[in-house]
Amino acid sequence: MHVNNDYQRNANLSRIFETVWKNPNFSRIDIARKLELYRSTVSNIIGTLVESNLISEGERGVPTEKGGRKPVFLSVNPNFGSVIGIEIQLDSYHVCVVGFDGETIYETEGTTPADVQLLDKPEELFVFMVDSIIRQIIPAVNAGSVKPLAISIGLPGIIDIDNGIIKHSAPFRLKEFNYAQILGQRYGIPLFMENDARCCSWLQLALNKSSDKKDFLCVLARNYAGNPLLTYPESYDKGIGIGLSITMNGRVINGRNYGVGEYISRSWTTYQKGQTGLPEAVLKTVDSVDDSYAEWVKDLFGTLTMMVPLLEPETIFVHGQPQSRHDFMLKVIEESIPQFSSIVKYCGSELIIMDDDAYDISKGAALMCIQKLYEVQMLEAKPSYSVLKWDDLFELHKRSINGSLLNI
């Protein structure tokens, strides 16, 4: 009975927090109606969230025709705490600190630190990278009035978010790296990780939280410059890396092996290195020669043409490409891949090329941690490592009142 009571309490906390997060200025009665819960249940849960400072009470509205008390509008308290979102690539890193209300508090970027003496020790090298980034941002982050309560990192690779394991990340040469055990509590606050393309889905879920948009495909096509300090044979050279992320009914799809979204183009053939079968001469000049870029666009959207009718997404979001390339990309699609536009129209989908924001992935990583709070766990299932427990979150907030928790 105690287990069931705890489960029901946590499930109600998640559902009610989600409702307030997505609907600022809802009242208790609005929440009760939307979730079809007893008013007393909603009042008890809101009481817990207000007492814990996660939810704030605002202005009073107009009473109903039947009279009674004026409804009190509720919103997420922007001063409750924040999440540090970090994107790490071989060449650069980006940091975006996001409050629990979803608003950005602080951003910074830099060159990914490397220690050439650790090249033959990829796990130690990766820990060195994370340590160095955390050490660089501690002064600015801890000086802010909103204290960080968690860290969430986005990076390329197959990430088992439920067990806290990087199953494989080719750029960082990591295999079966147990980040939950090694880094989970290393910095004084919980640390989580997510695949970089899936961070784009978490970002889109947040950007569209007030709409009915729940089914979409995110394409992350990021230009990489390479890191001259990391010259091992497997390292990325200059070019464009592609990752996909699928969201259905408002849920980011991981797949049974957490590999959903690993991209291989239709031109790829057996034994080819990389994600595509395009000639090496094209790949090396894709970011500087229009003809090469056009060939890359045709290869990418020719592949996506086959995916659209399978998934029937409401929207295909393209992230990562510079603004200067958007019109050229659309022109190549229109002139050389008319079948893509036709199938998009047939499926009632739309293509949106996002303005390139260097902080999309780091912000998406932070928003993942916040949105995971309203993911109701199955009673009989093993708890996911990626979800902060409510009682742990409240305890972190209490401790942060007395000073910053982030340290190294």
Side-chain angles (χ1 to χ4, degrees), residues 23 46 116 272 405:
N23 303 276
I46 290 296
V116 293
Q272 280 188 296
L405 305 179

Side-chain angles (χ1 to χ4, degrees), residues 60-263:
R60 292 183 178 271
V62 179
T64 64
E65 295 179 357
K66 296 181 180 180
R69 297 180 178 178
K70 294 181 179 180
V72 178
F73 296 137
L74 305 165
S75 60
V76 177
N77 179 6
N79 298 314
F80 173 80
S82 63
V83 178
I84 302 172
I86 305 174
E87 177 199 4
I88 306 179
Q89 304 290 347
L90 281 186
D91 53 347
S92 63
Y93 71 86
H94 292 82
V95 177
C96 183
V97 180
V98 177
F100 273 74
D101 61 345
E103 296 299 317
T104 298
I105 298 172
Y106 170 78
E107 293 177 337
T108 190
E109 62 183 301
T111 301
T112 301
D115 184 343
V116 293
Q117 296 181 356
L118 297 175
L119 283 181
D120 60 343
K121 300 175 181 178
E123 292 191 1
E124 291 184 30
L125 177 58
F126 185 73
V127 172
F128 170 84
M129 291 175 176
V130 180
D131 277 352
S132 300
I133 294 169
I134 297 295
R135 191 175 288 111
Q136 289 177 31
I137 67 174
I138 277 180
V141 173
N142 280 348
S145 59
V146 182
K147 302 305 179 186
L149 304 182
I151 302 167
S152 188
I153 297 176
L155 73 160
I158 300 175
I159 317 293
D160 178 350
I161 63 173
D162 294 320
N163 293 296
I165 296 171
I166 299 177
K167 296 177 70 67
H168 182 221
S169 177
F172 296 102
R173 296 175 299 154
L174 296 172
K175 290 185 178 181
E176 301 300 326
F177 176 65
N178 192 327
Y179 68 83
Q181 184 179 79
I182 297 172
L183 297 173
Q185 296 296 328
R186 186 179 179 89
Y187 308 108
I189 54 179
L191 180 144
F192 308 96
M193 292 193 187
E194 177 61 291
N195 167 267
D196 53 0
R198 286 203 287 269
C199 288
C200 294
S201 279
W202 290 109
L203 175 67
Q204 290 298 342
L205 282 171
L207 293 176
N208 293 282
K209 66 179 181 179
S210 299
S211 73
D212 293 326
K213 200 181 292 291
K214 295 182 179 180
D215 298 274
F216 46 84
L217 173 67
C218 286
V219 181
L220 175 62
R222 177 61 64 84
N223 294 52
Y224 297 104
N227 190 329
L229 295 178
L230 306 177
T231 56
Y232 46 85
E234 307 95 322
S235 62
Y236 281 178
D237 202 346
K238 291 183 64 176
I240 302 179
I242 301 172
L244 305 178
S245 179
I246 300 167
T247 302
M248 302 184 72
N249 197 29
R251 296 183 68 88
V252 181
I253 305 301
N254 297 314
R256 61 186 178 88
N257 291 315
Y258 301 89
V260 168
E262 290 295 298
Y263 175 81

Side-chain angles (χ1 to χ4, degrees), residues 371-389:
Q371 291 175 100
K372 278 281 186 179
L373 282 171
Y374 53 73
E375 186 172 286
V376 178
Q377 302 290 293
M378 298 299 292
L379 182 59
E380 69 278 6
K382 177 184 174 183
S384 171
Y385 172 79
S386 67
V387 180
L388 259 174
K389 296 179 181 178

Side-chain angles (χ1 to χ4, degrees), residues 195-392:
N195 167 267
D196 53 0
R198 286 203 287 269
C199 288
C200 294
S201 279
W202 290 109
L203 175 67
Q204 290 298 342
L205 282 171
L207 293 176
N208 293 282
K209 66 179 181 179
S210 299
S211 73
D212 293 326
K213 200 181 292 291
K214 295 182 179 180
D215 298 274
F216 46 84
L217 173 67
C218 286
V219 181
L220 175 62
R222 177 61 64 84
N223 294 52
Y224 297 104
N227 190 329
L229 295 178
L230 306 177
T231 56
Y232 46 85
E234 307 95 322
S235 62
Y236 281 178
D237 202 346
K238 291 183 64 176
I240 302 179
I242 301 172
L244 305 178
S245 179
I246 300 167
T247 302
M248 302 184 72
N249 197 29
R251 296 183 68 88
V252 181
I253 305 301
N254 297 314
R256 61 186 178 88
N257 291 315
Y258 301 89
V260 168
E262 290 295 298
Y263 175 81
I264 293 293
S265 84
R266 64 176 183 172
S267 65
W268 184 87
T269 58
T270 307
Y271 306 121
Q272 280 188 296
K273 183 180 178 181
Q275 299 176 301
T276 176
L278 291 174
E280 189 172 347
V282 170
L283 296 175
K284 285 187 174 181
T285 57
V286 69
D287 59 348
S288 58
V289 177
D290 282 355
D291 287 347
S292 296
Y293 190 78
E295 288 301 312
W296 175 82
V297 170
K298 288 187 282 187
D299 189 59
L300 170 61
F301 284 89
T303 303
L304 294 178
T305 298
M306 300 182 291
M307 297 182 181
V308 173
L310 291 174
L311 301 173
E312 287 194 313
E314 296 168 272
T315 308
I316 302 102
F317 293 105
V318 178
H319 289 259
Q321 284 302 285
Q323 184 75 30
S324 59
R325 286 295 196 181
H326 290 189
D327 289 343
F328 185 66
M329 178 183 287
L330 291 172
K331 180 181 177 182
V332 173
I333 293 171
E334 180 182 352
E335 295 178 355
S336 302
I337 324 161
Q339 63 270 34
F340 175 80
S341 299
S342 296
I343 202 65
V344 165
K345 182 178 180 180
Y346 176 80
C347 292
S349 304
E350 63 175 335
L351 172 67
I352 296 179
I353 303 176
M354 299 294 293
D355 291 341
D356 186 29
D357 186 336
Y359 295 95
D360 275 356
I361 295 173
S362 54
K363 186 171 185 178
L367 289 166
M368 176 204 76
C369 187
I370 296 168
Q371 291 175 100
K372 278 281 186 179
L373 282 171
Y374 53 73
E375 186 172 286
V376 178
Q377 302 290 293
M378 298 299 292
L379 182 59
E380 69 278 6
K382 177 184 174 183
S384 171
Y385 172 79
S386 67
V387 180
L388 259 174
K389 296 179 181 178
W390 280 106
D391 288 338
D392 291 344

